[in-house]
Amino acid sequence: PAPPALNAGLEDHATFAIKSSVLKEMEAMVVKEAPLAQRKKALRCLQMRWHPDKNLEKLEVAKSVFQFIEETKPWFLHDAQDVVAAGS
Protein backbone atom coordinates (compact mmCIF):
# COMPACT_ATOMS: atom_id res chain seq x y z
CA PRO A 1 0.00 0.00 0.00
CA ALA A 2 1.14 3.52 -0.73
CA PRO A 3 1.94 5.63 2.33
CA PRO A 4 -0.39 8.55 3.02
CA ALA A 5 0.70 12.15 2.55
CA LEU A 6 2.38 13.79 5.53
CA ASN A 7 -0.60 16.07 6.04
CA ALA A 8 -3.12 13.20 5.80
CA GLY A 9 -5.57 12.62 8.59
CA LEU A 10 -5.36 10.07 11.36
CA GLU A 11 -7.79 7.75 9.55
CA ASP A 12 -5.51 7.61 6.49
CA HIS A 13 -2.49 6.79 8.63
CA ALA A 14 -4.45 4.13 10.52
CA THR A 15 -5.65 2.58 7.26
CA PHE A 16 -2.08 2.45 5.94
CA ALA A 17 -0.83 0.82 9.15
CA ILE A 18 -3.59 -1.81 9.06
CA LYS A 19 -3.02 -2.60 5.37
CA SER A 20 0.72 -2.93 6.01
CA SER A 21 0.05 -5.29 8.90
CA VAL A 22 -2.34 -7.41 6.82
CA LEU A 23 0.18 -7.56 3.98
CA LYS A 24 2.98 -8.65 6.35
CA GLU A 25 0.75 -11.40 7.71
CA MET A 26 -0.04 -12.59 4.17
CA GLU A 27 3.60 -12.36 3.03
CA ALA A 28 4.76 -14.43 6.00
CA MET A 29 2.41 -17.25 5.00
CA VAL A 30 3.48 -17.10 1.34
CA VAL A 31 7.20 -17.07 2.23
CA LYS A 32 6.90 -20.09 4.52
CA GLU A 33 4.88 -21.79 1.75
CA ALA A 34 1.84 -22.39 3.91
CA PRO A 35 -0.58 -24.90 2.36
CA LEU A 36 -3.34 -23.45 0.22
CA ALA A 37 -6.02 -24.62 2.67
CA GLN A 38 -4.31 -22.75 5.51
CA ARG A 39 -4.02 -19.57 3.40
CA LYS A 40 -7.70 -19.82 2.43
CA LYS A 41 -8.66 -20.11 6.10
CA ALA A 42 -6.48 -17.12 7.01
CA LEU A 43 -7.98 -15.10 4.14
CA ARG A 44 -11.49 -15.91 5.34
CA CYS A 45 -10.58 -14.76 8.86
CA LEU A 46 -9.19 -11.49 7.50
CA GLN A 47 -12.28 -10.96 5.36
CA MET A 48 -14.56 -11.52 8.35
CA ARG A 49 -12.45 -9.31 10.63
CA TRP A 50 -12.41 -6.38 8.20
CA HIS A 51 -15.84 -6.70 6.58
CA PRO A 52 -17.52 -3.27 6.57
CA ASP A 53 -20.75 -4.70 8.01
CA LYS A 54 -18.82 -5.85 11.09
CA ASN A 55 -17.01 -2.52 11.57
CA LEU A 56 -19.74 0.10 11.48
CA GLU A 57 -17.84 2.36 13.90
CA LYS A 58 -14.87 2.54 11.50
CA LEU A 59 -16.67 2.00 8.22
CA GLU A 60 -14.33 3.86 5.83
CA VAL A 61 -11.22 2.16 7.24
CA ALA A 62 -12.92 -1.23 7.03
CA LYS A 63 -14.02 -0.62 3.43
CA SER A 64 -10.51 0.32 2.40
CA VAL A 65 -8.86 -2.61 4.18
CA PHE A 66 -11.46 -5.10 2.91
CA GLN A 67 -10.95 -3.83 -0.65
CA PHE A 68 -7.18 -4.20 -0.21
CA ILE A 69 -7.64 -7.80 0.97
CA GLU A 70 -9.79 -8.55 -2.09
CA GLU A 71 -7.20 -6.99 -4.41
CA THR A 72 -4.38 -9.13 -2.96
CA LYS A 73 -6.47 -12.32 -2.94
CA PRO A 74 -5.22 -13.71 -6.32
CA TRP A 75 -1.60 -13.25 -5.26
CA PHE A 76 -2.18 -14.72 -1.79
CA LEU A 77 -4.06 -17.79 -3.05
CA HIS A 78 -1.74 -18.43 -5.99
CA ASP A 79 -0.61 -22.05 -5.77
CA ALA A 80 2.78 -22.68 -7.38
CA GLN A 81 2.11 -26.44 -7.30
CA ASP A 82 -0.87 -25.96 -9.64
CA VAL A 83 1.37 -24.09 -12.10
CA VAL A 84 4.00 -26.85 -11.97
CA ALA A 85 1.32 -29.54 -12.43
CA ALA A 86 -0.25 -27.71 -15.35
CA GLY A 87 3.14 -27.41 -17.06
CA SER A 88 3.81 -31.14 -16.84
Side-chain angles (χ1 to χ4, degrees):
L6 291 176
N7 61 349
L10 181 62
E11 190 172 279
D12 292 332
H13 287 283
T15 301
F16 174 72
I18 293 166
K19 286 180 181 180
S20 295
S21 175
V22 166
L23 185 59
K24 283 181 186 177
E25 189 176 333
M26 294 169 109
E27 284 176 339
M29 292 189 81
V30 170
V31 166
K32 74 174 188 177
E33 297 179 0
L36 184 59
Q38 186 179 356
R39 286 182 280 145
K40 283 182 178 180
K41 185 176 181 180
L43 180 71
R44 182 76 180 127
C45 288
L46 286 169
Q47 289 169 323
M48 288 176 20
R49 184 184 321 156
W50 289 107
H51 195 281
D53 290 346
K54 298 206 181 278
N55 292 281
L56 297 176
E57 71 283 352
K58 48 189 173 198
L59 187 60
E60 291 306 312
V61 172
K63 281 182 184 178
S64 183
V65 173
F66 188 81
Q67 183 178 9
F68 175 75
I69 292 168
E70 291 302 304
E71 289 168 359
T72 58
K73 186 172 160 178
W75 163 78
F76 186 58
L77 296 181
H78 174 76
D79 193 359
Q81 290 178 348
D82 285 347
V83 174
V84 171
S88 299

